[in-house]
Amino acid sequence: MDKLLGENQNNHYKMLVIIDNNNQYERITSRLDGDGWSCYDVTKNVISLIEDIPENKRKVRVGSKIKTWFSQLPDKVILYNTNILYSPELGKLNPIGAFKYRSRTKEIIVFVEGHISGDRIQYSEYGRPDFVEMDVSELIHAKLEDIDD
C-alpha cells in the first residue's frame, strides 16, 4: 500500500483507484483514517446533496452539487460506496469523472466496483442502463486483493 501511495503522490493525477468488488474498503480505510486521511461514504453524501433537487432536475444539478461538496473536503480523502454515481437517474456520472479534476491538487483514493481490462474499468454489463466504462490510463490503479496491507 505504501508503494501505491508513493506512486500516486508523484503522479500528475493524484487519484488512486482501487477496484473492490467485495466491499472490503475497510481494509484500507481503517489503516489510513486519522493518519492524515479522511473517509467519505459517497452514496450517503450524494443522497443528502440531492434531497432538495426535484427529481426531473437531478441530472442537470447533481454535478455542481458534488463539485461544491468535494471542493470543501480536506486534501487527502478516501471515497467509498461510489455506486450511486453510475445511476442513470443521476446522469451516469462515475467516480473517476466526478473527482478526477480535483486530483491534481488533492490526494484521492477512490474505491470502485467493476472489471478491469487493461487501462479500462467496466461497471455493470454492456447494454444495461448503468453500464459505464472508465479510462484509468492516467491514474494509479490496482485490485484490492493485490494490495499488501
Side-chain angles (χ1 to χ4, degrees), residues 15 27 29 34 42 47 52 54 63 74 78 85 89-90 107 112 117 119 121 125-126 138-139 145:
M15 178 186 286
R27 239 185 77 201
T29 59
V42 172
I47 288 172
D52 62 342
I78 300 171
L85 297 176
E89 293 80 21
L90 297 181
E107 287 183 70
V112 300
S117 177
D119 283 336
I121 299 172
E125 295 178 22
Y126 182 76
E138 298 177 308
L139 307 171
E145 59 263 21

Side-chain angles (χ1 to χ4, degrees), residues 3-146:
K3 181 182 176 201
L4 288 171
L5 289 173
E7 289 175 16
N8 191 51
Q9 206 170 34
N10 294 320
N11 200 30
H12 177 73
Y13 292 104
K14 293 160 185 38
M15 178 186 286
L16 170 59
V17 179
I18 299 176
I19 299 94
D20 175 19
N21 292 315
N22 297 313
N23 208 22
Q24 295 182 348
Y25 56 85
E26 289 177 348
R27 239 185 77 201
I28 304 297
T29 59
S30 64
R31 179 175 174 252
L32 297 176
D33 190 22
D35 190 26
W37 292 88
S38 300
C39 302
Y40 298 91
D41 180 327
V42 172
T43 294
K44 180 180 169 186
N45 283 280
V46 168
I47 288 172
S48 174
L49 292 171
I50 65 173
E51 282 179 344
D52 62 342
I53 302 175
E55 204 171 308
N56 63 340
K57 302 284 185 185
R58 287 185 178 155
K59 284 183 185 179
V60 177
R61 296 184 185 167
V62 71
S64 65
K65 288 266 195 179
I66 291 172
K67 185 176 181 179
T68 300
W69 167 69
F70 190 68
S71 68
Q72 297 169 358
L73 298 181
D75 288 341
K76 290 183 170 187
V77 297
I78 300 171
L79 305 170
Y80 63 93
N81 200 11
T82 60
N83 290 357
I84 192 171
L85 297 176
Y86 302 115
S87 167
E89 293 80 21
L90 297 181
K92 287 177 41 169
L93 297 170
N94 69 69
I96 293 166
F99 304 118
K100 184 177 175 183
Y101 65 95
R102 291 290 296 179
S103 69
R104 289 173 285 159
T105 58
K106 291 185 179 201
E107 287 183 70
I108 304 166
I109 298 173
V110 179
F111 286 88
V112 300
E113 287 184 31
H115 302 283
I116 191 153
S117 177
D119 283 336
R120 299 187 103 38
I121 299 172
Q122 297 171 339
Y123 176 81
S124 188
E125 295 178 22
Y126 182 76
R128 290 187 50 157
D130 62 346
F131 175 78
V132 177
E133 189 170 69
M134 300 164 280
D135 179 8
V136 291
S137 60
E138 298 177 308
L139 307 171
I140 307 299
H141 56 279
K143 293 180 186 178
L144 182 60
E145 59 263 21
D146 295 339

